Amino acid sequence: MRTKTSSFILALLLLLSVGQALPVQSHWVGTWAASQQRPEPQNALSKDDLHDATLRQIIHLSLGGSRLRVHLSNRFGTAPFHIASAHVARAQSRDSGTIITASDKALTFSGSADLTIPAGAEYVSDPLVFSARAFSDLAITLSIEEPPAEQTGHPGSRETSFLVHGDSVSAGELPEAKKVDHWYFISGVDVEVAASGARSVVTLGDSITDGHGATTNGNDRWPDVLAERLRSNPRTRDVGVLNHGIGGNRLLLDGLGPNALARFSSDVIAQTGVRYLIVLEGINDIGTLARDHEVPQSEHDALVRHMIGAYEQMIVRAHAHGIKTIGATILPFAGSGYYHPDDTSEHDRQAVNQWIRARGHFDMVVDLDKVTRDPQHPDRLLPAYDSGDHLHPSPAGYRAMGNAFPITLFVMKDK
């Protein structure tokens, strides 16, 4: 009996020692993302621009890692799109597009330097050893020989991109580059993280999430502020923030970009490592309904009902994939010269916000309406938070919004 006991203890000790010797399992998490859409004519590049071109684009990472993968998109293309090569490097200047040449590395796709993305598809690069630091600026440079039939991109980048002719993917500088404040063909970056609790949060919204009114090259949108706060707390330092805002986006109808329900699978469920979803959508649905002329009360009632139905669909679909949902109330917009909302539109906003605030719907709620409204005129933005158009917040307003999310919402129970 004593021999059996000794053997069991020895086997247990050997098992424990083997377990301790196993390396920590790393996994992939999204660190940056941008929703894809078909650029409007004024935001698209000309065919001449994309003939024999080098396109360098700067992005800001929310989470660091030891390896990375880059997502390239031809989602709105109508034919296969060939990219001759793609490189990544640490950006030295957001304003000039210069890179640290010693950090420049080529991406591969199934081992090849070039790739052809089928129409409507997205490609993910092979994993690349690259020391990506949280809140560092990454330059993604593409060599494009011929323009695609239809472009895919994200017009509301709030970040400057750089375009020259010829193959200059590894060049430290791009002198006399054409500058455009849009992104094209890049949709996401993942990093490999050793922390077992690493995860990401998707912020799904319209121009208020996309950052209209924020500083170009300033990274002061409200999701940027939230990312800074998460990184500064030891319990949430491994949470990446993925901004999936599209200017003019709506819950129910297509506008600038597909409606929120149509893009839910690609922009929420398919995101790498997503565990939380913040929904701030609906102001464009309310504003558009009566933008040109008043409509019957029955149409206002139907809009509110359908918006609530869209939120319910998001909650159900997110929960099916283990994603917690956070509802954000719609901001005030009285005085907007674009939508010129009246009392009926304000009533619609209040009805939707009342549903968002009610228990039993979203897992958690953050009352951004309360945070940003003028206490003296609650249907209007606080002047200090108003960018000037009475619809979009200023950088100060975005900071207040980002600061309104309790860190505890993103703390894992076992932490």
Side-chain angles (χ1 to χ4, degrees):
M1 187 69 179
R2 183 177 299 172
T3 302
K4 290 183 178 181
T5 302
S6 300
S7 298
F8 174 77
I9 293 173
L10 179 60
L12 181 60
L13 289 172
L14 287 171
L15 181 62
L16 288 173
S17 65
V18 170
Q20 290 172 352
L22 290 174
V24 176
Q25 293 295 313
S26 59
H27 59 287
W28 292 95
V29 181
T31 181
W32 174 87
S35 293
Q36 301 301 287
Q37 62 187 96
R38 181 178 291 107
E40 314 87 76
Q42 69 273 22
N43 293 325
L45 294 168
S46 71
K47 289 188 179 297
D48 287 341
D49 283 335
L50 288 175
H51 176 74
D52 184 26
T54 295
L55 176 62
R56 177 165 293 165
Q57 305 174 88
I58 312 297
I59 64 168
H60 193 61
L61 305 182
S62 63
L63 195 64
S66 57
R67 295 198 297 171
L68 59 75
R69 304 183 303 202
V70 175
H71 296 238
L72 300 179
S73 181
N74 189 28
R75 182 177 176 186
F76 292 93
T78 55
F81 174 42
H82 180 250
I83 297 176
S85 63
H87 282 225
V88 295
R90 294 192 185 91
Q92 190 170 54
S93 170
R94 300 173 188 167
D95 297 322
S96 67
T98 57
I99 62 170
I100 300 172
T101 54
S103 68
D104 178 74
K105 291 188 177 183
L107 294 169
T108 59
F109 301 82
S110 300
S112 298
D114 71 328
L115 72 152
T116 299
I117 310 176
E122 178 174 287
Y123 250 57
V124 184
S125 74
D126 299 331
L128 174 70
V129 175
F130 192 98
S131 180
R133 298 190 298 272
F135 301 116
S136 63
D137 294 322
L138 183 74
I140 303 172
T141 308
L142 309 179
S143 175
I144 300 169
E145 298 170 332
E146 296 294 338
E150 292 286 343
Q151 293 174 30
T152 293
H154 186 84
S157 64
R158 325 294 165 199
E159 195 83 46
T160 303
S161 298
F162 307 87
L163 182 73
V164 297
H165 287 293
D167 185 355
S168 301
V169 289
S170 296
E173 300 181 5
L174 300 178
E176 300 181 2
K178 177 177 181 176
K179 297 181 179 181
V180 291
D181 292 335
H182 313 298
W183 287 315
Y184 303 93
F185 314 118
I186 56 174
S187 58
V189 175
D190 306 328
V191 289
E192 191 174 38
V193 184
S196 60
R199 56 218 184 269
S200 64
V201 50
V202 168
T203 63
L204 185 70
D206 45 48
S207 58
I208 294 174
T209 297
D210 202 19
H212 185 97
T215 308
T216 298
N217 299 325
N219 295 307
D220 52 9
R221 316 162 190 84
W222 72 259
D224 298 319
V225 176
L226 175 61
E228 292 171 2
R229 295 181 59 235
L230 292 172
R231 182 65 181 175
S232 66
N233 191 299
R235 298 178 297 172
T236 55
R237 63 181 290 106
D238 297 312
V239 180
V241 177
L242 308 179
N243 188 331
H244 277 287
I246 293 180
N249 200 233
R250 287 182 275 179
L251 285 167
L252 304 172
L253 297 173
D254 291 352
L256 298 180
N259 69 77
L261 283 182
R263 63 190 182 97
F264 197 82
S265 292
S266 61
D267 290 0
V268 179
I269 293 172
Q271 295 303 298
T272 307
V274 59
R275 292 295 176 265
Y276 308 96
L277 166 66
I278 300 172
V279 179
L280 177 57
E281 282 262 19
I283 198 168
N284 292 316
D285 296 79
I286 295 171
T288 301
L289 179 67
R291 180 189 173 195
D292 298 324
H293 53 80
E294 189 48 87
V295 298
Q297 183 61 45
S298 60
E299 293 191 34
H300 285 275
D301 295 340
L303 174 69
V304 171
R305 186 170 65 253
H306 293 152
M307 287 177 64
I308 290 172
Y311 293 137
E312 290 176 328
Q313 287 294 306
M314 291 181 178
I315 294 168
V316 168
R317 294 180 65 189
H319 285 173
H321 293 270
I323 301 170
K324 291 185 178 180
T325 61
I326 302 168
T329 50
I330 299 173
L331 276 57
F333 65 122
S336 163
Y338 186 73
Y339 284 135
H340 45 80
D342 59 11
D343 290 343
T344 309
S345 294
E346 174 63 12
H347 182 270
D348 295 343
R349 188 180 75 90
Q350 293 292 348
V352 171
N353 280 348
Q354 182 178 358
W355 186 90
I356 292 172
R357 293 185 183 104
R359 291 181 178 274
H361 301 148
F362 287 100
D363 297 312
M364 298 156 280
V365 174
V366 176
D367 199 343
L368 295 182
D369 168 35
K370 184 178 180 180
V371 170
T372 59
R373 71 192 180 206
D374 184 348
Q376 303 302 318
H377 306 282
D379 60 344
R380 292 176 176 263
L381 287 169
L382 188 72
Y385 293 164
D386 192 338
S387 67
D389 65 4
H390 312 303
L391 177 63
H392 299 95
S394 63
Y398 286 135
R399 181 152 295 279
M401 293 169 65
N403 287 335
F405 289 82
I407 291 296
T408 53
L409 296 182
F410 308 98
V411 174
M412 296 179 67
K413 290 182 179 179
D414 59 347
K415 287 282 181 180

